[in-house]
Amino acid sequence: MKPNSLEAFYTSLNARPDDAPAASLPREVGHFNLFRVEELMRTYPNRPQMTFDRRQFYKISLIRGRSRVEYADKAVEVEQRGLWFASSRVPYRWLPHNLEQTGYFCIFTEEFLLPGKGGIALEELPVVQASGCPVLELTEAEYAAIETLFEKMAQEITSTYSYKYDLLRAYLWELIHHGQKLQPTPAAVPAHNASARVTALFGELLERQFPLATPQQQLRLRTAKDYADELAVHVNHLNRVLKETTGHTTTTLIGGRVAQEAKMLLKQTNWTVSEIADSLGFTDVAHFCNFFKRQTSLTPGDFRS
């Protein structure tokens, strides 16, 4: 699943990045922009239609109103007020239940926050990791405090202050840490539940690679490290968690699912063995044939006949 770009995002709003207040931001320091939810709702009177996908940028939304946030393999209902952190590593979408939605959202690239304040990298914070809890219910007081931060950013982004992007960056870090402080205490979450979440996210990610519809389509994630990077965990940690919860290593689980897809393609399509091997990410046919025989005790040709 290729992440949607900033250009695709602005196209969906019938706008261009150059039309936005952030247009003067130097390319080498990334991208930042801010929007009002009310304006989005006026643009789409039948409610905005967001696709379930990953984006090439981060998004933080302050929302008031009944809506549903779907991310990875989870869904959260927002009944009144919510703060929502959307990572570039996890597919998501927002589904408002009605037009009575207010609030703000900002989008930004990781480059905009580099270097991290105090040496902190954005991806080190649980609030933006795949295994985190990106949708937080807010009290009225919490909503008001965060709304003040968004209002400061909304005022500053159109100012002529020479150092406004440094100030916006400071406000954004304050917003991120404010949300981080509202996160559930990690110690209160049993370790086996955390392992179960990682396992579930891995399984969801693995299944999203399939089915392969054409010979030109290729697996985006092929190795244990690919999946670990996507889930923002160390490959050794992912392997240990999967071994504990499933009894199998990451490589074994990936191999089993790839073999399952290979058997389906051999039986249900007229793709050549070479096309199947290439689509499944093998460097050559011989490598694929050896892999398939280890998995099934048959060659691809014998299995197909």
Side-chain angles (χ1 to χ4, degrees), residues 2-18 27 31 55-57 107 109:
K2 184 179 179 180
N4 281 343
S5 64
L6 279 165
E7 288 74 15
F9 168 76
Y10 282 104
T11 297
S12 70
L13 297 180
N14 295 319
R16 296 177 300 139
D18 292 344
R27 180 178 297 274
H31 184 88
R55 276 75 180 173
Q56 290 180 333
F57 52 88
I107 62 171
T109 59

Side-chain angles (χ1 to χ4, degrees), residues 6 22-33 57 107-114 165 169:
L6 279 165
S24 60
L25 184 62
R27 180 178 297 274
E28 63 269 18
V29 293
H31 184 88
F32 174 86
N33 210 348
F57 52 88
I107 62 171
F108 57 95
T109 59
E110 188 172 9
E111 291 78 12
F112 181 71
L113 287 180
L114 295 179
Y165 291 112
R169 191 175 291 109

Side-chain angles (χ1 to χ4, degrees), residues 8-302:
F9 168 76
Y10 282 104
T11 297
S12 70
L13 297 180
N14 295 319
R16 296 177 300 139
D18 292 344
D19 297 330
S24 60
L25 184 62
R27 180 178 297 274
E28 63 269 18
V29 293
H31 184 88
F32 174 86
N33 210 348
L34 186 77
F35 302 86
R36 295 179 186 272
V37 173
E38 302 95 302
E39 294 175 359
L40 178 66
M41 301 307 293
R42 284 197 296 269
T43 303
Y44 297 94
N46 295 321
R47 304 181 202 176
Q49 298 298 312
M50 178 183 286
T51 58
F52 186 80
D53 211 340
R54 292 192 303 125
R55 276 75 180 173
Q56 290 180 333
F57 52 88
Y58 293 85
K59 180 179 179 182
I60 303 177
S61 304
L62 179 68
I63 47 182
R64 184 194 291 271
R66 294 187 61 253
S67 63
R68 177 184 175 92
V69 176
E70 298 179 352
Y71 65 98
D73 59 344
K74 301 176 177 63
V76 175
E77 293 290 338
V78 178
E79 296 299 333
Q80 296 185 53
R81 299 165 296 272
L83 181 64
W84 169 31
F85 290 80
S87 168
S88 65
R89 297 193 174 194
V90 179
Y92 65 85
R93 67 175 172 176
W94 177 58
L95 300 171
H97 291 322
N98 52 53
L99 296 177
E100 298 174 2
Q101 308 289 327
T102 59
Y104 291 91
F105 69 90
C106 63
I107 62 171
F108 57 95
T109 59
E110 188 172 9
E111 291 78 12
F112 181 71
L113 287 180
L114 295 179
K117 187 177 182 181
I120 301 172
L122 181 61
E123 283 296 339
E124 292 178 8
L125 296 174
V127 76
V128 296
Q129 291 182 4
S131 58
C133 178
V135 186
L136 306 169
E137 283 282 355
L138 303 177
T139 65
E140 187 63 50
E142 290 167 342
Y143 184 96
I146 296 172
E147 185 179 40
T148 298
L149 278 174
F150 273 102
E151 288 171 347
K152 288 180 179 179
M153 290 191 288
Q155 181 178 1
E156 196 59 46
I157 199 169
T158 57
S159 77
T160 58
Y161 179 49
S162 299
Y163 302 98
K164 70 176 182 180
Y165 291 112
D166 292 310
L167 189 52
L168 284 167
R169 191 175 291 109
Y171 287 150
L172 183 55
W173 271 113
E174 185 176 353
L175 173 61
I176 291 169
H177 283 293
H178 199 124
Q180 184 64 43
K181 289 166 66 176
L182 295 174
Q183 282 276 93
T185 304
V189 180
H192 66 85
N193 284 348
S195 296
R197 285 200 300 273
V198 171
T199 301
L201 287 171
F202 167 80
E204 176 72 12
L205 199 55
L206 180 60
E207 286 303 318
R208 286 188 182 279
Q209 310 305 305
F210 306 101
L212 298 174
T214 69
Q216 290 71 42
Q217 185 181 351
Q218 291 191 329
L219 292 187
R220 187 174 63 85
L221 306 175
R222 186 64 181 85
T223 67
K225 188 177 186 306
D226 291 339
Y227 283 88
D229 289 345
E230 195 74 9
L231 294 172
V233 299
H234 194 279
V235 66
N236 291 343
H237 175 70
L238 178 61
N239 197 54
R240 181 170 60 253
V241 165
L242 293 178
K243 186 70 175 178
E244 290 174 354
T245 56
T246 71
H248 301 289
T249 65
T250 313
T251 300
T252 298
L253 292 169
I254 296 170
R257 185 60 182 87
V258 169
Q260 179 184 343
E261 187 72 8
K263 289 189 285 186
M264 187 278 295
L265 293 173
L266 287 166
K267 287 293 188 181
Q268 300 182 16
T269 74
N270 59 0
W271 300 6
T272 67
V273 173
S274 177
E275 287 174 331
I276 294 173
D278 184 61
S279 192
L280 290 174
F282 291 89
T283 55
D284 53 55
V285 174
H287 184 197
F288 169 66
C289 291
N290 289 335
F291 162 82
F292 192 83
K293 191 166 186 178
R294 286 198 306 272
Q295 292 283 335
T296 66
S297 301
L298 295 171
T299 66
D302 289 340

